[in-house]
Amino acid sequence: LNREVADVDLRVVTITVDNLQSLLSVGSAEFNFQAGPRVTFGRYLGTDEHGLDAFADFTYYGINDWNETAQRVGEVVTRTTDDGMGTVTVVQEGNLRTLFFQGNLETAFNNATVHQLSYISDLDNFEFNVRLKREARGRDQLVLVPGGDWFPGHSVNKFATTFSGGLRYMRIDEDFRLVSRGNQIVAVNGVITQVNQNFGQYVVLADNDMFGGQMGLMGQYVANNWDVGIRGQAAVMANFSEQFTNTFVQLINNGVVNTSASAHSDRGLSAAVLGEVGLVGSYQVLPNVRLRGRWDFMWLGGLALAPDQVVNDENARKPINDEGVIFYSGGGVSSEVVW
């Protein structure tokens, strides 16, 4: 399953002092395809008076986890100033900066030699559905089987339609971190007068717990031992979201250590909307064994994504942002066993 990094409004960008070239942003941590389990347990409930076959099933799939990092290592630059009165000051420091942060965070993230970014996202999905399927039936005919015997049978080669409805619970947890390290050496007339070290860390944890109802529709072309089709599903869920932000700054000036830290959290309740569409197919290899394949696309909006919670000042506060959007795509091959 592939997860597209959301197009967040806020991008924390690392730039160089010299040419203001963008080096590091949220999009630098690009997620790749990740494998995860998908399990379905189902039961046939019977056929009603209208010829609809009823099934109930429970499905779980999850990805643990998307985990991407990015790093930019800057250069140590030397700046020399001469006051014209015999005092020459030489400063050596890193050339990585960010124009985003303010206050102590600005001091920690500017003139740095290393900027690091990490982004982790987990997904767990649970579904319970009841499905009503109108089977495609052909006209009765005699079927010749190996051995020369004839048995009553029917040809299919028609369309089948399945309606579904049920409950869905999804959980998306995210961890977003920014880290900066820097050193500064100041020398006056060849004598080192200051040795400074800067360290900054910005951490955001975001949780989304979503629960609601869903409905779906699937159309299939059914042959004797194989079928192909297209499916769609939509869900509206209540999203109980929460975010926790923690910052830490350590500034060491000539051995004197100054630290500052902040932490704040917020909760929200919003509507999360899901839409998905996919291609499905199967082939029956044994009377009770069928191979299945699928490729799905899923759009999910109304989320509290971790990068959306970043603010530019360690003392600033803002309500939780739960307007994030994720797009998933992926597929797989599985087997179905009936007993």
Side-chain angles (χ1 to χ4, degrees), residues 1 37 82 99 208 210 212 226 233 242 248 252 296 304 328:
L1 191 66
D82 188 341
L99 297 179
N208 298 267
M210 294 161 282
W226 61 272
Q233 196 161 248
E242 183 177 11
F248 178 77
I252 303 177
D296 296 310
Y328 297 99

Side-chain angles (χ1 to χ4, degrees), residues 218-294:
M218 179 169 63
Q220 293 171 285
Y221 178 79
V222 183
N224 285 320
N225 58 354
W226 61 272
D227 62 71
V228 294
I230 186 170
R231 57 175 289 273
Q233 196 161 248
V236 177
M237 299 173 287
N239 182 15
F240 300 88
S241 57
E242 183 177 11
Q243 72 90 13
F244 176 79
T245 299
N246 174 273
T247 67
F248 178 77
V249 172
Q250 183 180 74
L251 307 177
I252 303 177
N253 299 317
N254 273 345
V256 179
V257 180
N258 296 295
T259 61
S260 64
S262 68
H264 70 275
S265 62
D266 193 22
R267 296 181 178 181
L269 174 60
S270 63
V273 179
L274 177 146
E276 57 183 338
V277 64
L279 302 175
V280 295
S282 71
Y283 181 82
Q284 188 166 359
V285 294
L286 293 172
N288 63 333
V289 178
R290 182 177 288 268
L291 294 180
R292 293 191 175 275
R294 62 189 299 135

Side-chain angles (χ1 to χ4, degrees), residues 13 32 41 51 59 64 78 87 93-94 99 105 142 148 162 185 191 203 240 245 252 263-264 278 307 309 314 332 336:
V13 179
N32 297 315
F41 297 95
T59 298
N64 294 299
T78 300
T87 301
E93 59 189 2
L99 297 179
L105 285 173
L142 293 178
T162 302
I185 298 176
V191 178
V203 179
F240 300 88
T245 299
I252 303 177
H264 70 275
Q309 316 308 318
E314 60 183 326
E336 178 186 273

Side-chain angles (χ1 to χ4, degrees), residues 101-144:
F101 288 123
Q102 300 178 4
N104 287 331
L105 285 173
E106 179 182 11
T107 303
F109 277 82
N110 285 346
N111 305 118
T113 52
V114 177
H115 277 185
Q116 296 171 317
L117 178 152
S118 69
Y119 194 2
I120 300 174
S121 185
D122 298 338
L123 167 67
D124 289 293
N125 178 85
F126 301 85
E127 299 177 51
F128 175 78
N129 291 291
V130 174
R131 305 183 189 277
L132 299 177
K133 182 177 182 180
R134 185 178 297 277
E135 290 279 5
R137 305 289 186 185
R139 293 182 299 176
D140 292 337
Q141 62 180 4
L142 293 178
V143 178
L144 178 65

Side-chain angles (χ1 to χ4, degrees), residues 21-145:
Q21 177 186 1
S22 177
L23 293 179
L24 195 67
S25 70
V26 176
S28 301
E30 295 184 358
F31 293 125
N32 297 315
F33 278 91
Q34 296 290 336
R38 182 186 183 101
V39 181
T40 298
F41 297 95
R43 181 176 178 83
Y44 173 64
L45 301 179
T47 303
D48 66 8
E49 64 274 13
H50 302 291
L52 294 175
D53 294 327
F55 303 84
D57 59 58
F58 172 81
T59 298
Y60 165 79
Y61 63 83
I63 303 294
N64 294 299
D65 47 46
W66 287 281
N67 187 345
E68 297 298 331
T69 60
Q71 175 177 287
R72 294 296 181 267
V73 178
E75 299 177 354
V76 176
V77 297
T78 300
R79 295 185 288 107
T80 302
T81 58
D82 188 341
D83 65 358
M85 301 179 64
T87 301
V88 179
T89 302
V90 178
V91 178
Q92 290 183 328
E93 59 189 2
N95 71 333
L96 297 181
R97 298 176 58 88
T98 173
L99 297 179
F100 178 75
F101 288 123
Q102 300 178 4
N104 287 331
L105 285 173
E106 179 182 11
T107 303
F109 277 82
N110 285 346
N111 305 118
T113 52
V114 177
H115 277 185
Q116 296 171 317
L117 178 152
S118 69
Y119 194 2
I120 300 174
S121 185
D122 298 338
L123 167 67
D124 289 293
N125 178 85
F126 301 85
E127 299 177 51
F128 175 78
N129 291 291
V130 174
R131 305 183 189 277
L132 299 177
K133 182 177 182 180
R134 185 178 297 277
E135 290 279 5
R137 305 289 186 185
R139 293 182 299 176
D140 292 337
Q141 62 180 4
L142 293 178
V143 178
L144 178 65
V145 298

